Amino acid sequence: MAGKVRKKLCTAGHVMEKSWDVCPYCPRGEEVLSRTRVHVGLTDQTPAPPFLGWLVALSGRHRGTLFPLSEGKNIVGKDSSSQVRVLDDGISDSHAKLACDPAGVQGRFVISDLDSTNGTFINGSASRIDREEIIDNDLVRFGSIEMIFKSLPCEAVARLKE
C-alpha cells in the first residue's frame, strides 16, 4: 500500500514513538530492558505509587533514560532523594518539581522551578519558568539537559482510580 505509514509497535502491540526503545505501557518493558537504565528512586520494600507519566532524557549522560513520574510530587535534581535523579553539573540538588493530581484534572502535570541556578525552560523558550502546566510531548530543559515529557492518556489515568 503506497503512502501508508507504519507505526512502531512493542511486542504487546502498543503503539510507540520511533525514538523509544522501551514501551512505557508495558509493565516492565522486558524486550529491551537490558539496554535501558530506569531510575525510580524507590526501594524494593516501598510500594510504587501509580505511574502517570515519564520523562525521557534527550541529552547529557542520561540520554535515552526513562524516568517514571508518579502521582504527587516528583523532584528533579542531583540529590539522592530526588525521584528524577539527574547527575549533571548544570542541575541543582533540588532543581524542579513535577506534580500530578489525577483526582483533579485527569493527568494534569504542573512543573515548578525550585529556585535552581540554571533554570527550567519549556518548549525551547528562552524565558525561565516559575510554574507552568505541561502536556504530553512538551520539551523540558533543566539547565542544559533536555527531556521530553510523556503522560498516560486520560482514560488510562481514570482506570488507575477504579
Side-chain angles (χ1 to χ4, degrees), residues 111 120-122 134 138-142 145-147 149:
I111 187 168
T120 303
F121 306 85
I122 306 292
I134 58 174
D138 273 349
L139 187 65
V140 182
R141 183 166 52 90
F142 305 102
I145 304 298
E146 289 188 322
M147 296 189 181
F149 169 73

Side-chain angles (χ1 to χ4, degrees), residues 140-160:
V140 182
R141 183 166 52 90
F142 305 102
S144 63
I145 304 298
E146 289 188 322
M147 296 189 181
I148 190 165
F149 169 73
K150 298 299 297 173
S151 65
L152 289 177
C154 288
E155 59 273 7
V157 173
R159 274 185 287 182
L160 289 173

Side-chain angles (χ1 to χ4, degrees), residues 78 86-92 95 116-119 142-145:
K78 282 194 292 194
V86 180
L87 302 176
D88 185 84
D89 290 339
I91 302 291
S92 299
H95 194 99
S116 65
T117 303
N118 293 314
F142 305 102
S144 63
I145 304 298

